[in-house]
Amino acid sequence: MKICFLTTSFPAYHGHVQSPFILSLAENVVKQNNLVTVVCPYYKKSQDKKENYNGVEIRRFQFMFRRWQTITEGEGISSFMKSIGGFIQGITFIFSM
């Protein structure tokens, strides 16, 4: 079976501590003979837009110019309400998903 996880938070690179439970869940679904793709945001710390962790296919989407993309760094997506720039990023993030 093909399964797609659409998430707003995922480890930025292999070994990163952000949202490890999503990766763990995806890896366990792969162990049950499923094809799993995770669609998640691209982070500045990410190594590539397409990766594979233990059989889990990772597809990262970029929602702004790389240097302007800040809501997925640090405080997270909830910070987009704090400024007009963050609000614009939040809107483009939602439409990119």
Side-chain angles (χ1 to χ4, degrees), residues 22-71:
I22 299 172
L23 176 57
S24 178
L25 178 61
E27 288 173 335
N28 283 309
V29 172
V30 165
K31 287 178 184 175
Q32 297 173 1
N33 295 322
N34 296 296
L35 297 173
V36 177
T37 301
V38 175
V39 178
C40 59
Y42 177 81
Y43 301 90
K44 291 179 182 178
K45 297 175 186 176
S46 298
Q47 296 173 352
D48 203 352
K49 289 184 180 180
K50 294 179 182 179
E51 299 177 80
N52 193 303
Y53 298 168
N54 300 324
V56 178
E57 186 177 341
I58 314 298
R59 300 279 190 221
R60 300 181 187 278
F61 64 89
Q62 193 168 337
F63 55 93
M64 293 214 78
F65 298 113
R66 189 167 186 248
R67 68 182 191 154
W68 292 351
Q69 185 172 305
T70 59
I71 65 170

Side-chain angles (χ1 to χ4, degrees), residues 10-27:
F10 193 77
Y13 51 86
H14 198 45
H16 191 223
V17 296
Q18 180 175 336
S19 304
F21 61 93
I22 299 172
L23 176 57
S24 178
L25 178 61
E27 288 173 335

